[in-house]
Amino acid sequence: MRRVTKVIAAGSGEGRVVDTVILDLDRRRAPRGTVTGVKGTRCEFDLGESHGLRMGDLLVLDDGNLVEVVAEAEPLIEVRAQDLTALARLAWHLGDRHVPVQLFANRLRVRRDPAIAALLGRLGARVVAIEAPFDPEGGAYVAAAGHDHAHGHDHAHGHAHGHDHAHDHHAHDHQQQRRSK
């Protein structure tokens, strides 16, 4: 079985692609495991806790060959709005609820969920159930691909992820500025 040594971000690398793995979002966000390509290549990976594979990323194997990552079709909701301002508002509501969202120029995609579909409908969205590959934005806490994930340094960044999102960073900054004057 081949071992994945690093990940190259989509569009950033060239080489001999020997196979393709088709993975749903949960498998692309799993930090470790074993996958089998469509041509039978078995790969073991241990990418660390803070990662996320994207459509088109390349897995570099220990023999130097590459395996392409493809997002598997999943049950989704495609969301459209009357204009871009309304679409941005919908995206904000989804982000406020920490819902993974795939962004397009004129629409959004989220995993199919009746409660989310009902919310979006109440907000004026046009919602259609589809089956399609899902490649949502990684978010602030998912590391970008393109560097070696098999390293030993800490990814800590000075705050806990469980903090309350109901605070106003700008108000805090203004208070700090007033105190320093």
Side-chain angles (χ1 to χ4, degrees), residues 66-113:
L66 305 173
V67 173
E68 182 183 21
V69 175
V70 171
E72 183 176 32
E74 300 184 45
L76 304 175
I77 300 169
E78 190 159 273
V79 182
R80 295 183 184 256
Q82 65 186 18
D83 57 32
L84 292 179
T85 300
L87 191 65
R89 182 172 167 256
L90 296 170
W92 183 89
H93 279 281
L94 292 168
D96 190 48
R97 289 160 179 79
H98 298 271
V99 174
V101 177
Q102 185 173 3
L103 304 170
F104 294 91
N106 63 346
R107 65 195 185 282
L108 308 172
R109 286 184 182 163
V110 298
R111 281 184 158 162
R112 202 174 297 165
D113 178 319

Side-chain angles (χ1 to χ4, degrees), residues 13-19 58-59 61 63-68:
E14 294 182 18
R16 184 165 177 251
V17 176
V18 297
D19 210 339
L58 298 172
L59 305 176
L61 303 180
D63 64 359
N65 286 320
L66 305 173
V67 173
E68 182 183 21

Side-chain angles (χ1 to χ4, degrees), residues 22-24 71-75 131-134:
I22 302 171
L23 307 172
D24 68 11
E72 183 176 32
E74 300 184 45
E131 297 273 332
F134 187 44

Side-chain angles (χ1 to χ4, degrees), residues 149-178:
H149 288 275
H151 44 59
H153 68 269
D154 185 9
H155 282 276
H157 47 266
H159 69 276
H161 289 208
H163 65 278
D164 180 8
H165 288 274
H167 55 278
D168 184 348
H169 291 283
H170 296 293
H172 175 75
D173 291 342
H174 292 297
Q175 289 172 355
Q176 292 293 87
Q177 288 172 353
R178 276 187 253 141

